Amino acid sequence: MPLSEILAVTDNFNPKLLIGSGGFGKVYEGKLANGVTVAVKRSESGHGQGRPEFQTEVLVLSKIRHRHLVSLIGYCDDGAEMILVYEFMKNGTLRDHLYSMASTTTMLNWKQRLEICIGSAKGLHYLHTGSDGGIIHRDVKSTNILLDENYVAKVADFGLSQAGLPDPDHHSMALKGSFGYLDPEFFRTFQLTDKSDVYSFGVVLLEVVCARPAIVNSTAARREEINLAEWGMAWQKKGEIEKIVDPSILGEMNPSSLRKFAEVAEKCLRPDGVDRPTMLDVCWDLEYALQLQQGTPAREEDDDDDDDDDDDEMSAGDDSAGDVDATATDSGSVFSQHRVDGAR
Ligand SMILES: Nc1ncnc2c1ncn2[C@@H]1O[C@H](COP(=O)(O)OP(=O)(O)O)[C@@H](O)[C@H]1O
Ligand SMILES: [Mg+2]
């Protein structure tokens, strides 16, 4: 897109249209000439390094369309400006609806949280295995899971760090990712894999169930509470995860649904990538946790509208769905023996 169009869309980067800022730069709400609302991300550090990679990557990413991925609508690469234009997500980030809530955001109940987790797991599964396959997100976190006007979850900002995008926060690409979410295996191997995304997703699952950040910065926090993954898993090992569950949803939770959910988080957070499930396994397990919540073990009369398209998208990798039980080697957790096929 030409810079002139971006300037028109954002009213010359009108500060009144600013909706947020992150590692890449400032994000503005804008309107395209055809009336579609977009989120415009403007890079703050146009070093120009890695430009060709950036362009190739952005071209690939802008072709990806999936119900649970935020579409990249276009980009602008002009002089010092590097700008990305995304589909606008009306209900903001998942994090906004879990804690540090602004007065305008609404609280999510347990079923909504499960559906959001399932949606984002489907989006990540598609990135990992879909037709444009083999894309590692590299920055899975609760601010990169956005909610549209119907609270449908969409994963944002995927695959960009591969493009050699200038990252003002970090000097090396190797350090891409956000603290509290980073796969510990990465520090041993310096390899990011799709299982690194699975680890980060496990941290998001804990955030969703506990309604607290991945890292607590407060000096008041006790040492063992600083890192959510460590803290959450310590409670899970004791079999007392309910003690750290968000009090506002504890009452409505079916205990078996919570148990299943915590089990998924535990599997995602395993120290070695090979021991972690695939995103497809995670999808099925979370679907099962949702069924347990609804008291409908075999899912038939589900009224939610995302059945058809999503199940098709998941079916590409169905083979591995049956492996769920086989990977359940951790003696500490109780695994239900549900047949994934039966759950469909
Ligand atoms: N597509 C979008 N639709 C609506 N809001 C968005 C969109 N993308 C980003 N935002 C908002 O802008 C903020 C900054 O985004 P970003 O630069 O990706 O940093 P981060 O993901 O670390 O928060 C987000 O937290 C969110 O509030
Ligand atoms: Mg983001």
Side-chain angles (χ1 to χ4, degrees):
M1 291 165 86
L3 185 57
S4 57
E5 188 178 346
I6 302 280
L7 290 172
V9 163
T10 58
D11 188 19
N12 300 311
F13 298 111
N14 187 337
K16 285 193 184 121
L17 296 174
L18 196 65
I19 47 174
S21 67
F24 185 70
K26 292 195 167 74
V27 184
Y28 298 82
E29 180 177 339
K31 222 179 201 82
L32 298 180
N34 63 10
V36 172
T37 308
V38 290
V40 179
K41 257 193 200 189
R42 183 188 196 189
S43 167
E44 245 151 31
S45 58
H47 308 311
Q49 79 195 151
R51 270 242 149 93
E53 293 87 344
F54 170 76
Q55 292 177 350
T56 331
E57 192 68 20
V58 159
L59 274 179
V60 172
L61 299 180
S62 56
K63 286 197 191 98
I64 296 179
R65 292 281 177 277
H66 185 272
R67 177 175 163 80
H68 295 292
L69 296 175
V70 174
S71 300
L72 182 62
I73 290 175
Y75 73 101
C76 167
D77 188 4
D78 183 322
E81 297 283 0
M82 230 189 239
I83 295 161
L84 300 163
V85 180
Y86 290 94
E87 164 188 16
F88 183 75
M89 292 291 120
K90 189 153 176 281
N91 278 309
T93 72
L94 170 59
R95 170 183 278 174
D96 293 340
H97 297 268
L98 293 174
Y99 46 89
S100 65
M101 275 180 289
S103 53
T104 48
T105 54
T106 47
M107 199 63 196
L108 301 166
N109 65 32
W110 180 230
K111 180 167 175 269
Q112 285 174 305
R113 293 185 203 194
L114 282 168
E115 281 166 347
I116 287 165
C117 291
I118 291 168
S120 25
K122 285 176 179 172
L124 287 172
H125 168 59
Y126 181 80
L127 272 188
H128 291 171
T129 63
S131 56
D132 305 285
I135 296 172
I136 303 169
H137 186 296
R138 293 162 181 250
D139 200 11
V140 175
K141 55 179 178 175
S142 58
T143 58
N144 279 338
I145 295 174
L146 303 179
L147 304 172
D148 77 2
E149 64 278 12
N150 299 313
Y151 289 91
V152 171
K154 301 196 188 226
V155 177
D157 296 341
F158 39 86
L160 276 173
S161 60
Q162 268 149 318
L165 218 66
D167 187 342
D169 292 344
H170 308 297
H171 294 296
S172 121
M173 290 313 294
L175 258 173
K176 181 69 189 179
S178 300
F179 283 113
Y181 295 91
L182 258 178
D183 175 8
E185 188 174 59
F186 172 76
F187 292 108
R188 300 196 300 270
T189 62
F190 290 97
Q191 281 296 325
L192 277 178
T193 68
D194 50 357
K195 294 300 182 77
S196 310
D197 285 351
V198 173
Y199 180 91
S200 307
F201 191 73
V203 179
V204 171
L205 293 179
L206 286 181
E207 261 184 287
V208 163
V209 76
C210 302
R212 57 144 277 180
I215 295 283
V216 179
N217 281 322
S218 154
T219 45
R222 301 218 309 274
R223 175 53 212 87
E224 64 272 21
E225 290 186 19
I226 291 173
N227 182 295
L228 177 59
E230 286 173 20
W231 186 63
M233 282 308 101
W235 284 96
Q236 168 70 355
K237 285 211 177 72
K238 281 193 276 181
E240 297 183 340
I241 192 88
E242 66 282 355
K243 296 219 168 123
I244 57 164
V245 166
D246 179 1
S248 71
I249 52 165
L250 191 56
E252 58 169 304
M253 273 175 153
N254 181 322
S256 55
S257 175
L258 169 59
R259 205 177 314 125
K260 186 77 207 169
F261 187 90
E263 206 179 279
V264 182
E266 182 273 324
K267 287 196 252 180
C268 292
L269 293 171
R270 286 180 180 163
D272 295 314
V274 290
D275 297 331
R276 294 173 204 150
T278 64
M279 283 316 298
L280 181 67
D281 299 331
V282 171
C283 291
W284 290 123
D285 274 359
L286 291 175
E287 293 269 11
Y288 192 63
L290 177 61
Q291 287 163 13
L292 290 169
Q293 178 63 21
Q294 295 174 312
T296 52
R299 175 173 184 234
E300 278 150 20
E301 78 304 33
D302 198 336
D303 57 353
D304 98 29
D305 62 341
D306 69 4
D307 275 14
D308 305 331
D309 49 349
D310 292 343
D311 284 358
D312 287 341
E313 279 147 7
M314 277 169 60
S315 62
D318 265 0
D319 294 354
S320 56
D323 294 341
V324 176
D325 293 332
T327 61
T329 49
D330 190 299
S331 56
S333 41
V334 184
F335 291 93
S336 80
Q337 296 298 312
H338 83 281
R339 287 278 84 206
V340 178
D341 299 342
R344 294 195 75 189

